[in-house]
Amino acid sequence: MPPTIEGYWNDLRSTKVWRSVFRSGTGTSTLHRALAVQQNVFLHLASVKMRRRSLAFSATWYLGTMSLATFLILTATGILLMLYYHPSVPQAYADMKDLQFVVSAGVFLRNLHRWSAHAMVFLVFAHMFKVFYRGAYRPPREFNWVIGVILLILTLFLSYTGYLLPWDQLAFWAITVGANIMSAVPVMGRKVRFLMLGGNTVNANALLRFYVLHCVILPLVAGLLIAIHFWRIRKDGGLHTGQVETPAGAPNE
Amino acid sequence: MRPALVTVAALALMLSFACQRPAVQPVAKGPATVPAAIVEVSGGKQVSTIGTPLDQPLVIQVNDAQGAAVAGASVRFHSAPGVIFQPASGITGSDGQFTFAVALGGMAGRYQIVATTTGASGKAIELRMDELALGFEQNQGRQLSDLYCTRCHDPESTAERVSNHDNLTAQAHAFSDGAFLNKMSDADLMAIIQHGGPALGKSAEMPPYGRTLSKSGIQALAAYIRAVADPPHQPGEAVYAQR
Amino acid sequence: MSDQKPFQAAIESDSRKAPVRIAFVTRRTSPQVKAESDQYVMTWPEGIFRVLVVCEVLAIILVTMSLFWDAPLEGLADPMQTPNPAKAPWYFLGLQELLHYFPPVVGGVLIPTLVVLALVIIPYFNVNVEAEGLWLRNRGKRLRIFAAVVLALIVFLIVFEVWAVLAPTVLIAAAMLFAAREANNAGRFRRWLILRPLSFWIMTWFLASASLLTGIGTFFRGPGWSWVWPWKE
Amino acid sequence: MEQSKDDVTRRGSFIKIGIGSLAVAGCGAAVFGYQFLSPNVLYEPSPIANVGKPDRFPPDSVTVDLVAGIYIMHAAEGFYALTATCTHLGCLTAWKPDLNIIACPCHGSKFNRRGVKIDGPAPRPLAWLKVWVNDEGDLLVDRSTPVPQDHFVRV
Amino acid sequence: MLFGDSARAFGTLGVVLLLLLAIVPARDFFSEWYRYQKGYLRLIRGRDDAITLQRRFEGGIHQTWIPELGVVDRCGSCHVALKEASLRNVGIQPFRPHPPIPHSLDEMGCVMCHRGQGAATTVEEAHRSAKESEDPMVPARYLESSCGQCHMDKPTGIPRLNAGRTLLTRYGCVHCHSIVLPDGVKLAPTDDPPSLQHVADKTTREWIFAWIKNPQAYSGTATMPNFQLKDEDARDISAFLIAQSTMLASSAAPASAAASDAAALQAGASMYGESFCASCHAIQNAAGLLVGGNVGPELTRIGTKAKPDWLRAWIGNPKGYDPETLMPHYRFDDKQLTLIAGFLENKTDSDFMANVKLDQATPRQVAHGKLLVTEMGCAVCHEINGIHRPDNFAPDLTAVGSRPLAKIVFLPEMPRTLAAYVEAKIKEPRSFGSALKMPQFNLATGQVDNLVTALLAQTDRARTLPARLRVAGHASSNYEPAGAAGRLMRDLNCFSCHSINGRGGDMAPDLTWEGSAVQRDWLLKFFKNPNTLRPTLIRRMPKFNVTDQEAGMLTDYILAVYQTPAFDRDSPQPASDASQIEKGRQLFYSKYACQACHIVDPQKDKGYIGPTLTEVGSRLTAAWIFQWLKGPQTLRPGTLEPDQQISDSDATSLTTFLMAQKGHAKTQEAKHK
């Protein structure tokens, strides 16, 4: 057999080094496929087998998957953008200009981050409604629903804190309006606003706080909750099949 | 029935044309005579600063082959990008003339302004006029020149400034005298300003300005002299015209 | 599925209590689990590939957007100069629109808090977990409660002049009444509507109101939060 | 059976195409990631320092420009400039007029006026920097361009 | 079929994604600056100096960063040839080299002068930013405005800005608008709007009516703007102004009837000429051209305006009516006063007030007039009885050059640029609304451009620049001569024309060191009968009819006080032997060719740029002549005579020669003729 790319590929996969990293083998048997999931740190949250119905597009519209995908895109692009960003006034705005004008593919990464952020908010909302209408919030998945609601709020907060970072007019006034809505909370509203902005107006302190929230605190919390969310999917019986649990006697299509 | 009607109508139409034709006069569309040339009435060779309107409007006249003014000829103007015309096109008046204001572009140099009209058989007739926009350095030279030089170098007197040109035994060359000054090298030009006429074996009536003017001032003067030279000083200055 | 077999494992969930899986095993038999092999697929590669395809689709959409549509960047933030209107991010515009109708405490705090609370307690609010159709039982009593609640809500909305919420409220209420009629010779759509539980109606009302408010806030609000038509510049 | 086998190979080739293009995209992302990470513009002070008119420096003098990190020397042979950064571990050295030496405060390296090491752990003499006079008559030093020793500039 | 065959979907979508991602670097590749750099390389390829140019060319984004100025410039990324002087004849942007300027491009950057967005690397964003808060480039027409961010002095080379700043004060813009220059100096008006507290002494209500309706109809050079008043409003304002006026005792001097016969008019006209009134005042000649200076008001229609009594009192003693006036106090006797006043009273224009018919003013009209005068801010410029000068009457224009476009209401069909707005506002203020208070000024297009240039210089950036960049303007001096001579100098208003110790006008020579220059006898004689020294001058020193005693006092004061410390005026005169004089003559006529500009021998010499030197030996001191020859600019900065680097011995010979030019005989002869 003449050497082919596939031949080399298979040779590579049978080397000791490869086998030490990817513990499962190359086979296509059920066992191998099961091991591929079980022994992969990223995939082991999923069960080895899934219900065929739950894989149908109509079951979930893959909204949760897409939400996770946007989160991962946002993490990747966000880390790259951080390399050209100084959370200070007015340097933050100059950095936006630099991204636009002098950083290779800077404007693309910024666009991708921005649109992915909007997409994530939208997808998470849609995910929630889809889960609701499919009835997937019902026991035993009620706790995972609560985590989902918290993740929704976190997503909103992540997006909101990121909104200030370009330090342009849009950012400044959107945050000002948002912060003023928050200060309407009786008793503690003003205090919360004060703590969040690090002062009474949206200024350099607020920018730094939003930066830390956006880049460190909220992503960490969100990542943790996402892990729990996924773990609970499996523990609560896998993805909801999308079967409407109809009461007895009702017409069933 | 119908063919008959059509025939009658067609006949009537033909008849009406046939009857009318001898009666129809050539309708005065456009100029009564055909433009053969555009001549400049006034406004050429002005000196201005970059980006600014010329002091005097440009006036051109459209003439026919016999040299008589052509009224109603349509004229268009164009030049390098950045030159603004007010208006950029129009119809000549009863005296065959058309007046327009020009603001030169943002770069220093000579601007060629082209006025175009259409002659017999659609041939384009053009008139080219040169206008000069001075940059910062040349403008500075112009001011120094107005202060120190023109009293002797400009033969024309004005009410505010009486020319000293004719009181000199040596002949002071006007700065626009390109035929003479273009032949001098930059170094010679600056030397004569700096060290006076005797430095180049010329009259002492040209005093030395080396201690009165700064080096950059003398450079500016030389730049101004080069800019206003007529015929134009060849190496260096860009001519902006439509490409 | 319909023909009876001697050993049948049944899985049911008693929703009134904590759901458990109970296998009823007939005496003198052992439980036999029938593998539903056609019901299950291997996560690798079936599931993973599907997920990958979905991610590719999403990436393609986002990359296309990013290539041809630049993220907005206005001038440098200037505290001395308020753009008119000053708008929050789009997902808060529903809230901002509410603030236009209600005092801040109601629009900015009470309503969002209630919404979040409602969302959290949905699964624990143990009414009707079987998701039976709202009108299938106690129809008369429920209609009276429904009428009282909807009327109160409409009066409340009219008092505060919240036309943007009034419209979906009336619409949903009409749909509920439409579903509440006697179910004889009902069409497919109405039969589907009849089966909707109460939570469905509430969520749909919330979804419609929120979407409408956000849409209005995003597209139809101009200087001074006045009404503008987006196509009229 | 034939059909199914075809199907399988076709499936396999699609997967190969897919994985292949993702791999290429990944490699491309790495290349352009590298481009992204290398800044196209720098916010760094120009290596060329304008130290002013030569007559600022009296003959036989050593002038320290701490901002630029250089010494400007006016010797009998002409002007020259030394970097003030010690060649040992990069501390900023100091001119000791009383001792007529350049001393490093960190590890005790000592240099003479010509930058030659007298004492201490420094591996190399202090670098001589390119000096020239511009059109306005200002003395300029290029901190990024070393020149051979004993390269004096006469004004 | 998206999920029907996920392998096929996976493969296909993978390829699509790869292709899309490949566009990302392509966008960088097709960026504008990269295209321009390729264009530049194409442009220079065919040139003789291609190799040099190519070696000097560096690819990539070029950035100039000047942190202390807040400048980030990337203009050089496209304008790659800014420093390539050999490309001077390339008429294509962005490849033109920068023309020579007194600043280094590396030290100033581009946006300091041209404004625009230096950080941008696209043509549109850099030159015409789409964002309303960002500066677009300043048009070449107003480019000098950028110089004004640092330059408060008035260097040559920026005539537009200098003229604009002068106009701001001369046309009284700064009466209403406060403008603080970047160095913190507040612009003060240099026009002198008359006080209206005694206006009824001076003129009639009808004249006021016609004047405020259209000041330029009375005098084309009037700087008072047109308030575009309605007839009723002008009627009421004139009524109020007359009503508020109080009478000055000095204006009511008894008047002997002005002679108006032809002979008296002729004598008055020659009085007007002899007194050199035309140095300051202009009168239209028969051809309608203004003849005379523009320091004082035009007098073509003065007879229509001024009441005869007031005119006589005014000419007799201007400071009696207006202590701040620039007009000198001529010592006219009664006869002279009658002649000259008669001449001026005859300068009338019957058309000017032909249609003005005003009834007796009613109290209501007066009250309404007062309201109008208050509202329109007349008291910002004029002193008016019973009305306080309002503060902060019009918007502060200190930072008008940085006004964000979002804060500007543009007219429809108007270019959305700050320059266009300011220009329109100056040209036709009322086009922004008839209720606006700003009046219509009478300005030529060039003047409007100059004003726009000066206003655009008032930027925020200018105030944040490091102080070392600022070139301060000349501080105005408040020098006051002391004693009786000082009083006399103030009475004669010497400072209106002459400058001493940094104070005064520039119409006549600077007298700071006049005491070192002139001989006593000559100066004494000059005061009694000033004759001009320069043949071509139109403006001349008037004859003030000073008494001997006054002339003597002034002469002594000048000789004693206005002495330069540089040399002793009484240092011994070089020996005047004939050979020295002859040597001096040789030097004068051949080596230095002084006759090009000066006249020593009226028969032979013709040069008339410098003063006539026929009697310089009895006018100037030898020490002054010597020092002057050695360095004219050291004695009188800005004087035109070039410094010829004359050696001491040549200067001595020339001094000897010039001191020999006493010229008595010749002038005596000339006088007899």
Side-chain angles (χ1 to χ4, degrees):
Chain A
M1 187 171 154
T4 57
I5 296 178
E6 202 170 347
Y8 286 127
W9 174 238
N10 284 333
D11 287 352
L12 176 71
R13 298 219 308 180
S14 54
T15 56
K16 245 182 165 172
V17 178
W18 182 277
R19 293 299 294 274
S20 72
V21 179
F22 303 94
R23 291 163 58 199
S24 69
T26 57
T28 51
S29 68
T30 309
L31 174 67
H32 277 114
R33 288 179 166 176
L35 285 175
V37 172
Q38 269 181 3
Q39 303 196 340
N40 186 302
V41 65
F42 300 109
L43 297 180
H44 81 277
L45 279 176
S47 49
V48 167
K49 286 184 176 184
M50 300 171 99
R51 283 195 201 87
R52 188 179 285 283
R53 289 197 69 148
S54 73
L55 280 179
F57 183 70
S58 61
T60 57
W61 293 354
Y62 284 82
L63 288 166
T65 308
M66 288 199 275
S67 302
L68 176 71
T70 49
F71 182 76
L72 295 178
I73 292 175
L74 283 165
T75 313
T77 53
I79 287 171
L80 288 174
L81 289 172
M82 272 167 82
L83 298 176
Y84 280 104
Y85 182 80
H86 308 79
S88 67
V89 179
Q91 182 60 38
Y93 184 72
D95 291 337
M96 292 302 114
K97 293 273 181 181
D98 280 10
L99 279 174
Q100 185 181 352
F101 291 124
V102 293
V103 176
S104 304
V107 72
F108 171 75
L109 283 180
R110 192 170 101 81
N111 290 347
L112 193 56
H113 195 77
R114 179 82 161 209
W115 300 137
S116 299
H118 284 319
M120 183 170 169
V121 173
F122 180 78
L123 287 170
V124 169
F125 262 115
H127 180 44
M128 184 191 80
F129 284 113
K130 176 75 183 167
V131 163
F132 176 84
Y133 283 124
R134 281 281 156 177
Y137 63 91
R138 293 200 183 104
R141 298 188 175 87
E142 68 266 56
F143 179 62
N144 220 10
W145 165 267
V146 174
I147 291 179
V149 172
I150 298 173
L151 276 171
L152 167 72
I153 294 165
L154 270 180
T155 305
L156 289 180
F157 216 52
L158 264 168
S159 181
Y160 178 70
T161 49
Y163 216 79
L164 180 66
L165 301 190
W167 200 252
D168 63 343
Q169 280 286 79
L170 202 63
F172 184 88
W173 292 102
I175 299 312
T176 306
V177 170
N180 287 343
I181 294 176
M182 182 171 309
S183 70
V185 177
V187 188
M188 50 184 270
R190 296 201 154 274
K191 202 72 208 165
V192 169
R193 180 176 182 273
F194 184 75
L195 283 180
M196 194 177 74
L197 298 183
N200 292 313
T201 56
V202 179
N203 55 22
N205 269 357
L207 180 62
L208 192 58
R209 279 177 193 220
F210 274 53
Y211 175 73
V212 173
L213 279 173
H214 184 74
C215 299
V216 183
I217 299 171
L218 296 177
L220 279 181
V221 176
L224 186 71
L225 287 179
I226 288 170
I228 297 174
H229 199 60
F230 277 58
W231 175 72
R232 278 303 290 249
I233 292 172
R234 191 179 161 185
K235 293 293 157 190
D236 291 344
L239 292 175
H240 195 256
T241 56
Q243 251 177 324
V244 185
E245 290 157 25
T246 49
N252 198 348
E253 312 293 304
Chain B
M1 184 63 193
R2 203 188 272 167
L5 256 174
V6 172
T7 320
V8 169
L11 270 176
L13 211 68
M14 280 165 68
L15 212 70
S16 67
F17 268 112
C19 293
Q20 265 181 3
R21 188 158 292 169
V24 166
Q25 294 295 319
V27 178
K29 257 189 187 170
T33 46
V34 186
I38 310 183
V39 291
E40 176 190 327
V41 177
S42 71
K45 293 189 177 170
Q46 289 186 67
V47 179
S48 174
T49 338
I50 48 170
T52 43
L54 295 175
D55 291 341
Q56 305 297 323
L58 304 193
V59 186
I60 54 107
Q61 182 173 334
V62 179
N63 287 344
D64 62 10
Q66 281 73 44
V70 180
S74 131
V75 202
R76 277 172 294 112
F77 307 102
H78 50 88
S79 184
V83 178
I84 300 165
F85 295 97
Q86 189 71 35
S89 64
I91 308 282
T92 54
S94 56
D95 53 357
Q97 294 190 351
F98 189 73
T99 306
F100 60 106
V102 182
L104 297 183
M107 291 187 281
R110 216 169 277 277
Y111 284 82
Q112 206 159 64
I113 292 183
V114 186
T116 321
T117 189
T118 312
S121 66
K123 207 177 105 229
I125 300 163
E126 288 188 343
L127 167 72
R128 288 172 186 275
M129 282 173 283
D130 275 359
E131 310 290 348
L132 192 63
L134 299 183
F136 172 82
E137 190 186 33
Q138 297 148 349
N139 221 352
Q140 201 172 22
R142 181 199 210 176
Q143 288 179 69
L144 290 173
S145 157
D146 286 351
L147 192 60
Y148 291 102
C149 314
T150 47
R151 288 156 199 262
C152 291
H153 281 275
D154 183 358
E156 273 178 50
S157 292
T158 63
E160 280 291 309
R161 175 178 54 74
V162 182
S163 172
N164 196 36
H165 181 264
D166 296 336
N167 299 332
L168 304 175
T169 46
Q171 203 221 321
H173 291 275
F175 285 171
S176 58
D177 185 0
F180 178 83
L181 291 168
N182 286 352
K183 283 183 277 186
M184 290 177 80
S185 71
D186 282 3
D188 280 356
L189 201 55
M190 303 218 325
I192 201 168
I193 299 171
Q194 199 169 355
H195 303 298
L200 292 187
K202 293 180 182 293
S203 168
E205 285 183 325
M206 169 71 201
Y209 282 93
R211 304 248 294 184
T212 313
L213 298 176
S214 64
K215 197 178 164 205
S216 65
I218 293 171
Q219 261 167 6
L221 260 177
Y224 171 66
I225 292 169
R226 293 306 193 203
V228 296
D230 181 30
H233 182 244
Q234 281 311 323
E237 230 39 54
V239 176
Y240 302 107
Q242 198 175 39
R243 272 182 296 275
Chain C
M1 289 289 277
S2 55
D3 51 332
Q4 290 291 318
K5 285 189 175 172
F7 309 110
Q8 172 72 46
I11 298 168
E12 276 190 14
S13 117
D14 184 355
S15 48
R16 296 275 176 197
K17 305 179 188 97
V20 284
R21 293 170 190 217
I22 304 164
F24 296 95
V25 182
T26 332
R27 190 186 297 260
R28 277 186 289 125
T29 60
S30 58
Q32 179 194 350
V33 177
K34 188 180 176 187
E36 295 176 275
S37 59
D38 59 329
Q39 292 291 307
Y40 281 89
V41 291
M42 295 302 289
T43 302
W44 172 271
E46 304 276 328
I48 300 300
F49 263 94
R50 272 160 215 245
V51 166
L52 279 177
V53 168
V54 167
C55 291
E56 278 180 344
V57 171
L58 182 76
I60 286 170
I61 293 170
L62 290 176
V63 166
T64 313
M65 277 174 79
S66 307
L67 276 174
F68 302 109
W69 188 12
D70 278 351
L73 183 67
E74 308 256 306
L76 177 66
D78 180 1
M80 306 300 290
Q81 205 187 313
T82 319
N84 202 351
K87 285 191 180 183
W90 64 268
Y91 38 82
F92 285 155
L93 285 181
L95 207 58
Q96 207 176 342
E97 177 71 17
L98 271 186
L99 284 171
H100 175 64
Y101 303 111
F102 296 111
V105 177
V106 179
V109 182
L110 206 60
I111 294 174
T113 313
L114 282 178
V115 167
V116 171
L117 269 180
L119 286 176
V120 168
I121 60 165
I122 284 175
Y124 299 102
F125 194 60
N126 253 352
V127 174
N128 190 24
V129 180
E130 320 87 324
E132 64 168 10
L134 175 62
W135 308 113
L136 291 181
R137 255 191 282 163
N138 295 339
R139 197 163 145 272
K141 184 182 158 200
R142 286 180 180 183
L143 263 177
R144 282 194 294 279
I145 298 173
F146 164 79
V149 169
V150 167
L151 267 178
L153 191 61
I154 287 177
V155 166
F156 172 77
L157 292 175
I158 287 175
V159 166
F160 279 97
E161 300 183 358
V162 195
W163 311 120
V165 184
L166 189 64
T169 308
V170 171
L171 212 67
I172 300 290
M176 288 172 84
L177 285 175
F178 176 63
R181 287 191 309 163
E182 289 295 344
N184 305 331
N185 62 24
R188 271 179 64 160
F189 176 63
R190 240 191 77 208
R191 264 188 292 156
W192 181 80
L193 275 186
I194 289 167
L195 290 173
R196 296 307 99 194
L198 176 62
S199 56
F200 168 88
W201 293 113
I202 296 176
M203 190 59 126
T204 307
W205 172 74
F206 169 68
L207 175 60
S209 306
S211 310
L212 194 66
L213 285 171
T214 307
I216 289 172
T218 309
F219 299 113
F220 293 90
R221 290 301 182 180
W225 214 252
S226 61
W227 188 270
V228 292
W229 300 107
W231 51 89
K232 278 186 190 164
E233 276 303 312
Chain D
M1 205 55 196
E2 283 291 310
Q3 193 104 33
S4 149
K5 200 173 178 189
D6 262 7
D7 230 33
V8 169
T9 38
R10 224 187 46 187
R11 224 179 123 89
S13 59
F14 268 118
I15 290 176
K16 274 179 208 156
I17 291 171
I19 292 180
S21 45
L22 286 190
V24 173
C27 295
V31 171
F32 290 104
Y34 170 76
Q35 285 217 335
F36 172 82
L37 293 177
S38 5
N40 290 328
V41 294
L42 293 178
Y43 291 91
E44 287 170 8
S46 160
I48 297 164
N50 185 335
V51 294
K53 296 273 184 279
D55 49 18
R56 263 186 63 203
F57 309 101
D60 199 33
S61 69
V62 175
T63 312
V64 189
D65 189 333
L66 280 180
V67 179
I70 48 175
Y71 297 107
I72 300 106
M73 318 289 200
H74 190 178
E77 297 96 322
F79 284 94
Y80 63 100
L82 294 181
T83 172
T85 311
C86 180
T87 52
H88 179 218
L89 289 174
C91 291
L92 201 61
T93 56
W95 167 245
K96 307 276 179 207
D98 308 333
L99 305 173
N100 199 22
I101 56 160
I102 295 165
C104 177
C106 297
H107 306 101
S109 296
K110 294 187 177 70
F111 307 88
N112 71 7
R113 268 179 194 244
R114 296 281 156 98
V116 178
K117 187 185 85 174
I118 305 168
D119 192 14
R124 285 183 310 279
L126 293 177
W128 285 48
L129 302 175
K130 189 181 167 196
V131 177
W132 74 101
V133 179
N134 72 357
D135 292 344
E136 279 93 50
D138 290 343
L139 209 55
L140 300 182
V141 180
D142 185 350
R143 286 172 285 172
S144 63
T145 313
V147 291
Q149 280 205 4
D150 300 325
H151 194 92
F152 298 97
V153 173
R154 289 215 160 272
V155 178
Chain E
M1 282 303 288
L2 193 57
F3 299 98
D5 186 347
S6 52
R8 182 196 296 190
F10 174 71
T12 321
L13 292 172
V15 173
V16 173
L17 184 58
L18 174 67
L19 291 179
L20 274 172
L21 284 173
I23 301 178
V24 177
R27 258 172 65 132
D28 280 349
F29 184 78
F30 289 109
S31 64
E32 285 177 34
W33 63 267
Y34 193 69
R35 223 171 49 227
Y36 280 122
Q37 292 192 346
K38 281 183 288 186
Y40 175 70
L41 290 175
R42 266 199 309 280
L43 176 85
I44 59 176
R45 200 176 294 150
R47 294 176 58 95
D48 300 338
D49 50 356
I51 294 169
T52 330
L53 290 173
Q54 253 157 11
R55 210 181 47 236
R56 275 206 292 261
F57 170 76
E58 268 182 64
I61 292 173
H62 300 191
Q63 173 165 291
T64 308
W65 181 50
I66 308 164
E68 64 169 352
L69 304 184
V71 165
V72 177
D73 265 2
R74 290 161 190 155
C75 313
S77 309
C78 299
H79 296 271
V80 280
L82 284 179
K83 293 178 196 162
E84 300 291 358
S86 67
L87 292 176
R88 217 149 58 102
N89 54 356
V90 171
I92 320 162
Q93 282 293 35
F95 307 131
R96 281 264 292 170
H98 199 278
I101 46 161
H103 300 290
S104 149
L105 298 185
D106 292 328
E107 280 166 29
M108 289 301 235
C110 306
V111 292
M112 277 291 287
C113 299
H114 291 278
R115 302 174 72 166
Q117 295 300 312
T121 53
T122 60
V123 175
E124 192 62 30
E125 286 275 332
H127 297 84
R128 298 169 285 276
S129 173
K131 301 181 181 66
E132 296 215 314
S133 58
E134 293 182 345
D135 249 354
M137 274 184 68
V138 63
R141 191 171 178 174
Y142 308 117
L143 198 49
E144 286 172 24
S145 65
S146 301
C147 308
Q149 298 180 107
C150 299
H151 284 280
M152 260 56 73
D153 58 340
K154 297 194 168 176
T156 57
I158 47 170
R160 233 149 225 267
L161 176 74
N162 296 342
R165 285 203 169 140
T166 309
L167 281 173
L168 282 180
T169 61
R170 173 142 175 66
Y171 273 78
C173 309
V174 288
H175 281 294
C176 294
H177 298 280
S178 166
I179 299 178
V180 179
L181 293 181
D183 60 354
V185 174
K186 192 173 176 197
L187 280 180
T190 53
D191 63 337
D192 187 18
S195 158
L196 302 182
Q197 287 166 307
H198 319 294
V199 69
D201 292 359
K202 178 172 165 180
T203 188
T204 60
R205 185 176 162 213
E206 284 72 16
W207 183 84
I208 295 177
F209 176 89
W211 163 262
I212 57 177
K213 281 283 289 176
N214 183 4
Q216 279 70 38
Y218 172 77
S219 160
T221 55
T223 55
M224 167 135 160
N226 189 334
F227 284 83
Q228 295 170 328
L229 294 169
K230 289 189 291 238
D231 277 359
E232 313 90 84
D233 291 349
R235 177 195 69 198
D236 296 352
I237 291 172
S238 61
F240 167 70
L241 289 179
I242 293 295
Q244 60 85 38
S245 174
T246 54
M247 194 165 176
L248 263 186
S250 61
S251 303
S256 51
S260 61
D261 56 292
L265 280 182
Q266 190 60 45
S270 51
M271 274 291 303
Y272 183 85
E274 281 166 22
S275 305
F276 292 113
C277 303
S279 294
C280 295
H281 295 281
I283 290 184
Q284 268 180 22
N285 64 12
L289 295 172
L290 284 179
V291 177
N294 62 356
V295 177
E298 181 193 336
L299 299 179
T300 312
R301 301 175 181 87
I302 183 67
T304 310
K305 168 186 174 181
K307 292 181 175 173
D309 289 356
W310 176 85
L311 193 59
R312 273 179 58 93
W314 166 262
I315 299 171
N317 182 13
K319 287 208 161 62
Y321 182 80
D322 176 8
E324 299 296 315
T325 183
L326 290 177
M327 173 127 160
H329 180 187
Y330 287 80
R331 273 88 171 125
F332 289 127
D333 62 26
D334 207 43
K335 185 165 160 277
Q336 287 171 316
L337 213 51
T338 308
L339 283 176
I340 197 154
F343 167 73
L344 290 175
E345 278 162 31
N346 209 43
K347 292 269 160 212
T348 55
D349 181 354
S350 52
D351 291 344
F352 179 62
M353 301 192 322
N355 298 321
V356 182
K357 297 279 183 292
L358 295 175
D359 300 327
Q360 186 67 36
T362 64
R364 252 186 79 179
Q365 287 176 5
V366 172
H368 183 234
K370 181 170 185 177
L371 187 72
L372 285 171
V373 164
T374 314
E375 277 180 354
M376 289 165 54
C378 305
V380 180
C381 296
H382 300 280
E383 278 178 66
I384 299 171
N385 290 321
I387 297 184
H388 293 291
R389 186 185 184 282
D391 285 328
N392 204 11
F393 186 72
D396 188 310
L397 297 183
T398 298
V400 66
S402 294
R403 184 171 292 182
L405 297 192
K407 288 189 180 170
I408 293 175
V409 180
F410 288 96
L411 294 178
E413 291 173 25
M414 185 173 167
R416 291 181 65 82
T417 65
L418 180 62
Y421 169 76
V422 176
E423 186 186 341
K425 199 82 180 163
I426 297 172
K427 258 189 186 154
E428 277 179 70
R430 299 282 168 95
S431 63
F432 288 82
S434 55
L436 290 185
K437 284 179 188 156
M438 176 147 163
Q440 178 74 49
F441 282 85
N442 183 36
L443 295 162
T445 311
Q447 286 178 311
V448 175
D449 284 355
N450 296 347
L451 275 171
V452 176
T453 305
L455 287 173
L456 290 182
Q458 297 295 122
T459 60
D460 284 335
R461 166 176 254 153
R463 282 179 295 172
T464 57
L465 289 174
R468 66 169 178 83
L469 284 181
R470 283 199 198 108
V471 190
H474 302 293
S476 59
S477 155
N478 53 358
Y479 166 73
E480 276 290 350
R487 274 198 298 282
L488 181 60
M489 283 165 81
R490 278 191 292 283
D491 199 37
L492 294 174
N493 268 351
C494 302
F495 291 109
S496 297
C497 302
H498 292 281
S499 168
I500 302 173
N501 288 335
R503 179 192 160 196
D506 58 357
M507 237 165 83
D510 185 298
L511 300 183
T512 309
W513 290 333
E514 189 68 2
S516 300
V518 294
Q519 299 181 16
R520 188 175 194 283
D521 291 347
W522 177 83
L523 190 56
L524 208 54
K525 216 168 67 200
F526 185 77
F527 277 130
K528 291 295 288 177
N529 186 19
N531 60 339
T532 183
L533 301 169
R534 289 160 207 262
T536 61
L537 236 50
I538 304 164
R539 291 169 177 172
R540 296 182 186 181
M541 171 118 158
K543 192 175 166 186
F544 292 116
N545 309 311
V546 287
T547 62
D548 289 347
Q549 187 256 333
E550 282 174 331
M553 178 179 68
L554 210 49
T555 303
D556 289 338
Y557 184 82
I558 287 173
L559 289 186
V561 176
Y562 299 141
Q563 288 269 7
T564 169
F567 59 90
D568 180 10
R569 73 185 293 270
D570 299 321
S571 51
Q573 194 178 336
S576 65
D577 60 285
S579 71
Q580 275 284 25
I581 293 178
E582 190 45 39
K583 191 182 165 213
R585 178 187 300 280
Q586 288 295 327
L587 291 171
F588 185 91
Y589 280 107
S590 32
K591 184 166 179 189
Y592 298 110
C594 310
Q595 77 279 11
C597 298
H598 295 282
I599 295 169
V600 164
D601 178 355
Q603 260 71 49
K604 208 172 78 187
D605 305 338
K606 290 191 284 189
Y608 45 49
I609 291 179
T612 307
L613 301 178
T614 46
E615 46 185 300
V616 65
S618 47
R619 175 164 70 92
L620 297 175
T621 64
W624 176 269
I625 294 178
F626 180 83
Q627 296 291 342
W628 179 269
L629 289 169
K630 292 292 292 174
Q633 278 77 25
T634 56
L635 293 184
R636 203 170 276 158
T639 191
L640 287 184
E641 177 157 341
D643 180 346
Q644 307 217 34
Q645 276 185 277
I646 300 175
S647 69
D648 280 3
S649 72
D650 281 6
T652 311
S653 305
L654 278 168
T655 307
T656 324
F657 168 68
L658 289 174
M659 284 309 288
Q661 307 303 318
K662 302 288 186 195
H664 286 304
K666 285 168 199 157
T667 39
Q668 291 299 325
E669 277 171 33
K671 264 191 182 166
H672 279 295
K673 278 177 194 170

